[in-house]
Structures are given as structure tokens and as C-alpha cells.
Amino acid sequence: MAKLNTLIRIVAVVAILIVSTTSLSYSQATLIIQTGPTSHASYDASGKYIVAIGDSKAHTWDAESGQLVAEILLTGANDLLDATPFGSDGNVLIVERKGAPIDSVRCWNWKANKIIWAIPGHYAAGSTSGNTVVVLGVDDTLWTVDATTGNRLNKLAGYVKKSNDMTLRVSENGAYVVWGGLDSSIFRIMDLRSRQIIRTDRLDQGGSDVRSVRFSTDETNVLYGFARPFAMNIVSGDTTVKLPDLGRVYDLDITADHKYMATISIWRDIVRWDAATGTLIDTIGKTTGLGTTCVFSPDGKHILTSAIDGSITVWPVPTISAVETAPRATAGGVSLTAYPDPARDQLVVHYSMSTAGSVRLALLNSLGDVVLSIEHATEEAGEHQEVLDTRGLASGVYLLRVQAGGRQTARTVRVQH
């Protein structure tokens, strides 16, 4: 009888697998190695090229092949802070912090391989559209400058020097600029059309500081890279999404369609999240050194990372149409879905229950043995999520079962290492 029950379980698993499995496609990452620490990397507006700064040089790489396209030596720079592509003409803002006697901001056109202009400045940021450049001058005043000539245009009132380390970011189309000190916790957002500060926020999470700030492409939200990253509505200040505690986040980004966020933390994991709910989707990979950059390509199909060990990596993002249409098993007011499928290191389980009650999630192998389980004495009715650690499981097909409020349902999932 025991053998018969085992055979029935195996047949059931295979049968469900045939009608309900979906898959995520993970491809090999492209690794570009620099000879020294990389402080910043980013895509150009087209997404075809990567600009990186490190080893006393600024580089441009072909994003698909990883071949070096152009480079420029940053003579005398001993602390390279940033390289920010802006516009579609190949212009890049390069910030050189020389210490003494003066810091500088250069505009390098890598297509023509020449410096277009150079001015004194501590920090600089440009809009992707190429119409707005903001520079913090060596006199500690904040200015918009002409993107073509580097000439000062308008002084931006409200900047108060708090430290020698700050973050500066201009929104996609140049409507807003945000700045703040990494150690002061004060961040200000200015509407560049009216040159009025519309938000001043003290952002402090138990001593954690902001390591990255980005705008959503529709210029409605600003993303702050705390230990617990979150997105804030620029005008109202309402938190639109909040991620769990990740230790320390060095960079984060959001796709152009605002569906997904990506983070890189002190643990070096590159993690993708649902930008509307803050739900974990998957771990894309892990950098070989502490990460300095984590950005989506303009089409959202790749994530670019850089690290202090000099590695620059382009990670293909798994197609998630399968995730969004993942089969949902439903029975008696209980529904269940899970992704990614196949899972590698973790399986995100979503379940809903129409009535409150006890819950037991179980993952069974093909022999019917429970290999992972989570139990709750009581849960409220509604949607819930759990993350199962699948790193210790053998590759294969498993049955995922949820028993909630006296009802149960199940579906198959795959683990593939």
C-alpha cells in the first residue's frame, strides 16, 4: 500500500507538471574586467553603450559584446567620483576630485573622443534627456549650467554645505533635482522650472544613511537607497513602496515602465522587486566585490553592476511574463502561486485565503516527503507571502501545498541549480 501511495503521488506530480509549469530564462552574464576599482557605471540613453569610471580613466564599452569603444585618461585625479551619461549625443559628465588645488567637472564626448568643456566643481548631475546639467561649484554654490558650453545659468538657492560627501541627482527630463549629504540625513527636492524647493526631508533610519537616490522616469517618485529602501511621491511625500531591511543598500534603480526595482546591498546580492508592492521577485546574481552601481538598461532587459574590485557585469534579466501569468491553484477559497519557476536559491510563495485560520505551507519531493514547511497558528483573511530557501534542495520537481482555514490547494514547482 505504501508503494502504491508513493506511485500515485509521483503520477500526480507529473500530471500537474504537464499542465501547469512555466519557466524563467536565465542567461549567462557578460563580465567586463577593469584593472582598478570602479566607482560608477551607467548606460547611455540608447542602452547600447556602458560608461564606467575607474583606474584613473573613463571608459565606454559596447553593452552587448563587452568590447572597449573609447577611453580617456583623467590625469591627476586621485579620487574619481562619478561618470554620468546625459543626452543621446555621447556626452558624459565626469567628476574628478583631485583634492588640491581644485576639483573639476568635465564634459567628455566619447564618440568624438574629446573634452567639450571643463569647469571647477565638486559634483555634477545631468538629465537623461540632455537638457539639464546641475553642478556644485568649488565655491559651494549650486548652479544649472549650459549643457553645451558649461557656462553658469541659474544659481539654485537653498544649498547648505553639510559635508564633503553628498548625493546629487537630476530627474529624467530635467524637471527636478535632489541633493543631500550622506551624513546629514537632510535631502531637498527642487522644481527646476520654478527654482523652488518643494520638499525638505530628514531621512534617518536608526543611523542608516542614504547611499543612492534616483528618480522614476515619469518624475513622480524619488527612490532612496537606505537599509530599508523606499520610494516617495515627490509632491506629497507619501511612501509609495517600501522594501525590507537589506543591511546597507549601495545602489538601486527602477525600470522605465515602473514595474520593477533592483537593489545591490552590502551582501552583494542583486535583487529584483515588484515596484508596486515591494514583493521580492528573484535574486539575479551576486557581485564579486562590494557593489557601487546597480542600474537597469533602458529597455529593462538587463541590469548593469559595478564593484570596487573592478568588475563590471551585465546581467540578463529573466523574462517574467511567466511570473505574471504563473498558474494559480485555487480550491475552496484558498489560492496559491509561486515564482520563479524553476527556482534557484529561493521560491516566493503567494497565497490568499477567504477566511482567517491556521496556515501550513509544505514543499514535498516526488516521494511525498516534506522537505520544507512553514506553519502559522492563525492568519487573517487576504493575501500573504512567504519566501522558501531552496538552496539546500536537489534539482527536481516538487509539490507545493498550502492548507489554510481548513481548506487546501497545491501546485508543482521546479528547483534547478
Side-chain angles (χ1 to χ4, degrees):
M1 181 62 70
K3 290 184 178 179
L4 179 59
N5 288 339
T6 297
L7 179 60
I8 291 172
R9 292 190 187 102
I10 294 173
V11 172
V13 167
V14 173
I16 298 173
L17 176 64
I18 292 173
V19 300
S20 68
T21 56
T22 59
S23 63
L24 290 171
S25 175
Y26 287 83
S27 301
Q28 184 66 37
T30 299
L31 181 65
I32 303 168
I33 300 294
Q34 294 205 156
T35 56
T38 302
S39 60
H40 186 83
S42 183
Y43 283 96
D44 79 328
S46 71
K48 295 180 179 179
Y49 300 98
I50 294 166
V51 175
I53 192 165
D55 189 32
S56 298
K57 294 179 181 178
H59 305 82
T60 302
W61 311 83
D62 184 287
E64 184 173 355
S65 68
Q67 296 297 309
L68 182 65
V69 175
E71 68 177 11
I72 185 171
L73 179 65
L74 305 178
T75 307
N78 55 29
D79 184 8
L80 308 180
L81 295 185
D82 212 351
T84 306
F86 69 99
S88 57
D89 54 5
N91 284 348
V92 176
L93 294 177
I94 300 172
V95 178
E96 292 185 77
R97 188 164 189 176
K98 299 180 181 179
I102 196 169
D103 298 349
S104 68
V105 176
R106 301 190 192 188
C107 178
W108 173 47
N109 186 298
W110 59 264
K111 292 181 179 179
N113 199 22
K114 65 178 182 179
I115 297 295
I116 305 300
W117 48 262
I119 59 175
H122 293 310
Y123 297 92
S127 62
T128 305
S129 62
N131 60 1
T132 305
V133 175
V134 175
V135 173
L136 177 63
V138 293
D139 58 354
D140 292 320
T141 56
L142 204 60
W143 292 79
T144 56
V145 304
D146 188 295
T148 304
T149 65
N151 293 334
R152 289 186 174 190
L153 298 176
N154 297 300
K155 184 176 179 179
L156 306 180
Y159 172 75
V160 179
K161 183 178 179 180
K162 292 291 185 181
S163 71
N164 291 322
D165 203 1
M166 70 172 291
T167 236
L168 180 68
R169 183 75 63 177
V170 176
S171 63
E172 183 87 358
N173 295 306
Y176 301 97
V177 61
V178 58
W179 69 84
L182 296 184
D183 59 358
S184 68
S185 302
I186 301 295
F187 280 79
R188 292 178 172 86
I189 300 176
M190 174 178 283
D191 187 325
L192 287 172
R193 295 159 295 191
S194 64
R195 299 202 295 279
Q196 297 294 314
I197 294 175
I198 59 174
R199 296 210 56 78
T200 298
D201 297 291
R202 177 178 291 277
L203 306 177
D204 187 10
Q205 295 181 354
S208 174
D209 52 16
V210 175
R211 292 282 163 174
S212 176
V213 179
R214 293 188 186 275
F215 286 96
S216 60
T217 54
D218 62 359
E219 300 185 318
T220 61
N221 286 274
V222 58
L223 284 63
Y224 288 107
F226 277 103
R228 295 180 178 88
F230 68 96
M232 173 191 290
N233 183 276
I234 292 173
V235 177
S236 69
D238 294 335
T239 298
T240 55
V241 65
K242 191 171 186 177
L243 304 185
D245 191 339
L246 303 177
R248 170 175 282 181
V249 172
Y250 287 103
D251 201 12
L252 78 168
D253 197 16
I254 189 168
T255 53
D257 59 10
H258 313 122
K259 287 185 176 180
Y260 309 105
M261 294 173 63
T263 59
I264 187 167
S265 70
I266 194 170
W267 309 113
R268 299 185 287 113
D269 290 318
I270 306 140
V271 182
R272 183 169 49 158
W273 311 82
D274 186 302
T277 64
T279 302
L280 183 151
I281 294 178
D282 55 5
T283 299
I284 302 296
K286 183 184 288 286
T287 57
T288 53
L290 284 178
T292 54
T293 301
C294 177
V295 294
F296 282 103
S297 59
D299 62 8
K301 295 181 179 180
H302 295 84
I303 293 176
L304 171 68
T305 62
S306 64
I308 60 174
D309 66 351
S311 61
I312 301 171
T313 309
V314 177
W315 305 86
V317 175
T319 174
I320 56 176
S321 57
V323 171
E324 294 172 333
T325 60
R328 178 175 288 270
T330 304
V334 178
S335 64
L336 170 70
T337 190
Y339 55 83
D341 188 359
R344 295 194 297 180
D345 297 334
Q346 55 195 5
L347 181 70
V348 181
V349 180
H350 286 272
Y351 62 93
S352 66
M353 43 200 294
S354 58
T355 59
S358 62
V359 174
R360 186 172 191 262
L361 280 173
L363 195 64
L364 293 77
N365 61 20
S366 60
L367 299 177
D369 300 322
V370 176
V371 293
L372 289 176
S373 66
I374 295 176
E375 296 186 41
H376 298 291
T378 182
E379 286 276 19
E380 297 295 326
E383 295 282 341
H384 302 278
Q385 174 184 302
E386 297 285 353
V387 179
L388 301 181
D389 186 345
T390 57
R391 289 174 295 183
L393 300 180
S395 296
V397 178
Y398 293 83
L399 184 68
L400 176 65
R401 183 179 65 199
V402 60
Q403 297 168 305
R407 306 297 180 100
Q408 76 172 29
T409 188
R411 58 153 296 182
T412 56
V413 295
R414 289 179 296 163
V415 173
Q416 181 176 318
H417 298 295

